[in-house]
Amino acid sequence: MLVLLPPSEGKAPSGRGAPLKPESLSLAGLAGARQAVLDELVELCAADEAKAREVLGLSEGLRGEIAKNVELRTAGARPAGEIYTGVLYDALGLATLDAAAKRRATRSLLVFSGLWGAVRVSDRIPSYRCSMGVKLPGLGALGAHWRKPMAEVLPEAAGDGLVLDLRSSAYTSAWKPKGEVAGRTATVRVLHAQTDPVTGVEKRSVVSHFNKATKGRIVRTLLETGTTPADPAELVEALRDLGHVVEAQAPAKAGAAWALDVVVTQIH
């Protein structure tokens, strides 16, 4: 099983250890595309802070993120699973998993990134600021920049098992499973169901914070239990066995992914 995750906008500080070693990152086929983004990002942030803030979409209060990017090659690196924070990663709680679940996480989790393309949670990276929605002056839109190398590398990373896609829309632009891989891919959204006390009509909505938290808890439970569904249909049954309310829509045609709605009535 391969689980595709979005990164977090906020990140933990870089470590005090050895700096980034680009050649040590997983998915070696992305190395050239990574180097191109790294070079331009560092150059942009070192040359013109105001321009860099404009390109990266950062407010005056986040100007410190520019200095962080300038030091990407020399800052200490930490495992990506420690760098990424926020709601999804808090709910996932990688640090508190037992040893077996941590090994499963290292094998199965892949975090998408505007800067790195995609990394394993064990890959050592510095803290940075560069979302997939950024359009760099030289390289252009990062989603488009990553499309070709991702198409070459990700099908092999997916292997022949289930692909659980929990990415946000900005990160799906970098790689969309196609063909046979798409047929064993399941996308998930979390819906909050509420019943109107007057009309008795149920209304459903996507609430960003709780969407992320529920996805984090789902991944944690799969890792803790060692559940490894072979395909989307088995995933649906596994999630239901774990107590989730799941509504599934199988693809209407070949080469499309399954769409799963996880419905919650209490959000926390």
Side-chain angles (χ1 to χ4, degrees), residues 30-89:
L30 300 179
R34 285 173 178 147
Q35 193 63 51
V37 181
L38 178 63
D39 288 346
E40 184 169 355
L41 183 62
V42 171
E43 181 179 353
L44 170 69
C45 292
D48 188 333
E49 180 187 292
K51 178 65 174 178
R53 285 201 293 111
E54 178 186 349
V55 170
L56 298 178
L58 301 178
S59 66
E60 173 68 24
L62 292 174
R63 62 188 304 173
E65 299 292 279
I66 304 301
K68 180 189 297 185
N69 284 347
V70 172
E71 299 172 353
L72 282 170
R73 294 192 182 94
T74 57
R78 300 168 61 182
E82 297 178 12
I83 290 290
Y84 294 116
T85 58
V87 176
L88 189 153
Y89 291 91

Side-chain angles (χ1 to χ4, degrees), residues 27 61 75 80 92 130 154 176 180-181 189 217 240 243:
L27 307 178
L92 173 54
C130 184
L154 265 294
K176 294 182 180 179
E180 182 270 336
V181 178
R189 67 175 180 173
R217 286 193 286 268
R240 287 172 177 166

Side-chain angles (χ1 to χ4, degrees), residues 2-4 22-35 106-107 109-113 116-123 146 149-159 175:
L2 184 68
V3 182
L4 311 180
E23 70 278 7
S24 71
L25 299 179
S26 302
L27 307 178
L30 300 179
R34 285 173 178 147
Q35 193 63 51
T106 298
R107 292 193 303 266
L109 304 188
L110 201 60
V111 185
F112 275 61
S113 161
W116 314 115
V119 292
R120 303 282 184 184
V121 293
S122 56
D123 285 336
W146 285 111
M150 288 285 194
E152 295 171 351
V153 171
L154 265 294
E156 180 179 354
W175 183 60

